[in-house]
Amino acid sequence: MPLTAAVLVLLSAALHACWNAGVKAHPDPEAATVGLVAGAAGFSTLAAIAAQNPWPPAGAWPWIVVCGVVEALYFATLTRALARLPLGAAYAVSRGGGQLVTWPISVLWFGERAGFASLASAATVVVGLFLRARPPLSTSGLAWALACALTIGTYPLTYQVALATGAPPFVLFSLSLLLSLPLQFVALGAGRFTRVRTAATLRPVLLLVGAAACAASFLLFLAALGLDGAGRTSALRNVSVVFATLLGAAQGELLDRTAVISAGLITLGAIGIAIA
C-alpha cells in the first residue's frame, strides 16, 4: 500500500470512530444521524465546489444511485446497532464483519492478491469478531450490527466502481449522501419530523462537529480508495476499532480483557490483509 494511501486511511479511521461515538452519545441516534448526514452532505458539496469537481458522466450515475442506497442502509443499520449495543461492541462486530465481506469480493472481482498471509489475517478477524459477539449482548443489536457489516463490506466496492466510471470523489460522496437522506428519513417511521427536529435542537454542536468529521472521514477514504484497492484500504481502515474501543471506555463502557483482545485481533487481521 502506498504511504500516502495509508496515512489517508488512518486519518479517516480516527475521524470515523469519533463521529460514531458522537452518534452513540446522542439520546436518539437514529434521528440524530439524519441531521448529521444532511450536514455531511453540505460539507461534501462545499468541498466539491472548492475542488472544482466536474459533474459526473452519464455512465457513473447508475453506480452513484447504488452508492446512495447502500449509504442509506448503512446509516439505518448502524444507528440501530448503536442504540442497542455498547459503542465498542457495535463497532467491532460491524467493522470486523464488513471486512470479511469486502476482502473475498475484492479478491474475486478486482483481482487483489490472496495468499496464506491474507487467509491467516482473515481468520484472525473472525476470531476477534467471535470474541466480541458473545452474550450478554442484545440479540437484536447483534443482528443490526451484522446487517451493518454487509453494507460496510459492500460500499467500498460500489464506490470503487463509481470512481472507475469517472465519478469525481467529492461529488460522488455528496450525491450519495443526498440520495440516501429520503430513505433514512422514511425509515424513522411515525413521528419522524418531530424526532429529527428535536435531535437537531437538543445537541446542535454535536451534530455539526459530527457532520464535519463524517464528511472528512469518507472523503479521505475515497481519496485513498483511488490510490489502492478496496480490500486493502477498507482493511487498514478497520484499525478504527481501537479508537472506538477507547472512545467507548471514555463514555463509561466496560473495557475488559475480552474487549481489548477482540479489538486487537480485528486490528491485527485488518493490517495483515492490508499489507499481505
Side-chain angles (χ1 to χ4, degrees), residues 43-151:
F43 282 122
S44 300
T45 300
L46 292 176
I49 294 172
Q52 298 182 331
N53 274 185
W55 195 246
W61 275 96
W63 286 103
I64 292 174
V65 173
V66 171
C67 289
V69 172
V70 174
E71 286 286 10
L73 294 172
Y74 164 68
F75 285 111
T77 53
L78 172 67
T79 53
R80 284 158 177 77
L82 288 173
R84 295 163 175 81
L85 293 175
L87 173 64
Y91 206 92
V93 172
S94 60
R95 301 304 307 183
Q99 182 54 51
L100 297 179
V101 176
T102 303
W103 177 69
I105 296 178
S106 64
V107 169
L108 295 173
W109 191 356
F110 294 104
E112 294 186 28
R113 290 176 299 173
F116 176 79
S118 296
L119 292 173
S121 298
T124 302
V125 173
V126 171
V127 173
L129 179 62
F130 177 77
L131 286 175
R132 204 65 178 96
R134 298 187 309 167
L137 296 176
S138 162
T139 302
S140 63
L142 286 174
W144 282 115
L146 290 172
C148 183
L150 292 176
T151 68

Side-chain angles (χ1 to χ4, degrees), residues 3-13 217 219-221 223-225 227:
L3 178 60
T4 300
V7 172
L8 291 174
V9 171
L10 291 175
L11 289 173
S12 172
S217 172
L219 293 176
L220 288 169
F221 177 68
L225 199 59
L227 298 174

Side-chain angles (χ1 to χ4, degrees), residues 17 23 28 45 47 62 132 143 150 173 194 214 217 241 251 256:
V23 170
D28 189 349
T45 300
R132 204 65 178 96
L150 292 176
F173 185 55
T194 301
C214 177
S217 172
V241 171
Q251 292 179 348
D256 59 12

